[in-house]
Amino acid sequence: MIAHLHERERWGRPVLRTAILHRVGRLVVPLFACAMWSSAASATCVWTDLIHSQTRAAAINRTTPRVHFVQDTGPGCPAAGAACQSRAYVTTGDIVLAGNTRNGYTCTGFQGPRGSGTIGWLPSAGLNMLPAAAQIPADWAGHWYAPEQDIVIKAAPGGMLSVKGDATWGMSAWRAEHGSVHVGTLNGISRPVGGVLSFTEGEGRTLPYTGGDEFSCKVRMIRRGPYLLVRDNDNCGGANVSFSGFYARKP
């Protein structure tokens, strides 16, 4: 089905975007990016509540076959009951990102095996936070993906990491046919410091995150459980292109 999804927290202004949702097995919805790295807890469950350093990874501990996400758009939500329940769900053992809590529910994000993701509230009692050692894994190398986003991280000499990425915005059949898909790239060599991999793209070289100017492409990354969390400053590609979001690693 086709839905018009309103992004409430992207680039500081409303964005209306058309997206295709596929109902195959688990209901999946597209991942949307956000721009700022730090985030304060909000009354809603949006991207700025997940892609920041306070986010943790948690495992679903329920023994029931499915645990449905809960929406916050209806009166009294998030809460138990059909009025707040979403069709999207996770199962026992799935790993999610866990953000702020409200009324016994935790804002969470999940990246499914098909590469699409869901964000919403889950019962806090159904989550087991992963141990500290699993929150910031040392392994960064891999091919990381999210809808319209792709990042490859490889080991480089001297303990450095090479980062290369491609992202698009508006990858629909119509926009592709009319040449109106916006694109962006990401290139840099850096090493994690304090659990954060960050850099600024310079002219033919990689600069520290504090280098460059306001128009330079700047990016920060952290690891949480099986996920790679990324935020850029929206200067890494064409209009609306962003690498911000959370990524799963390709098998």
Side-chain angles (χ1 to χ4, degrees):
M1 62 180 175
I2 297 178
H4 297 285
L5 303 180
H6 183 255
E7 299 181 45
R8 292 173 289 180
E9 298 258 345
R10 190 176 185 184
W11 309 297
R13 62 181 187 273
V15 176
L16 184 66
R17 183 172 175 184
T18 300
I20 299 178
L21 308 182
H22 300 277
R23 190 178 182 184
V24 181
R26 302 182 186 183
L27 178 71
V28 296
V29 297
L31 295 177
F32 291 130
C34 54
M36 303 301 293
W37 183 257
S38 62
S39 173
S42 70
T44 56
C45 183
V46 295
W47 283 110
T48 49
D49 296 307
L50 288 177
I51 315 301
H52 59 83
S53 57
Q54 287 74 46
T55 296
R56 300 183 64 187
I60 305 300
N61 66 17
R62 294 290 184 91
T63 57
T64 54
R66 300 180 181 181
V67 181
H68 284 265
F69 284 87
V70 174
Q71 305 174 87
D72 60 11
T73 54
C77 299
C84 300
Q85 182 174 291
S86 168
R87 288 175 292 175
Y89 63 89
V90 287
T91 61
T92 303
D94 282 339
I95 306 298
V96 300
L97 293 173
N100 56 290
T101 61
R102 177 188 178 195
N103 298 334
Y105 291 85
T106 299
C107 179
T108 58
F110 174 70
Q111 180 82 286
R114 294 181 178 275
S116 295
T118 303
I119 180 172
W121 300 92
L122 288 174
S124 300
L127 301 176
N128 286 337
M129 295 298 169
L130 295 184
Q135 293 297 322
I136 309 176
D139 57 321
W140 290 81
H143 188 170
W144 302 89
Y145 69 98
E148 295 198 59
Q149 298 165 316
D150 196 89
I151 293 177
V152 175
I153 301 178
K154 296 181 178 180
M160 306 291 279
L161 294 173
S162 169
V163 180
K164 295 184 181 297
D166 294 283
T168 61
W169 178 83
M171 184 58 78
S172 65
W174 186 91
R175 294 183 68 92
E177 180 181 351
H178 291 79
S180 55
V181 176
H182 302 169
V183 300
T185 60
L186 185 65
N187 290 280
I189 297 179
S190 185
R191 63 161 52 93
V193 176
V196 179
L197 179 64
S198 64
F199 60 86
T200 296
E201 283 192 355
E203 292 292 334
R205 62 193 180 104
T206 304
L207 302 174
Y209 184 81
T210 55
D213 55 35
E214 60 180 316
F215 302 107
S216 301
C217 169
K218 298 174 180 286
V219 64
R220 285 180 176 176
M221 305 178 182
I222 60 176
R223 292 273 283 107
R224 289 293 182 268
Y227 298 107
L228 175 72
L229 283 64
V230 179
R231 289 196 184 242
D232 66 18
N233 62 345
D234 295 323
N235 287 331
C236 301
N240 293 334
V241 175
S242 177
F243 286 90
S244 298
F246 67 79
Y247 296 63
R249 181 158 39 195
K250 285 190 175 181

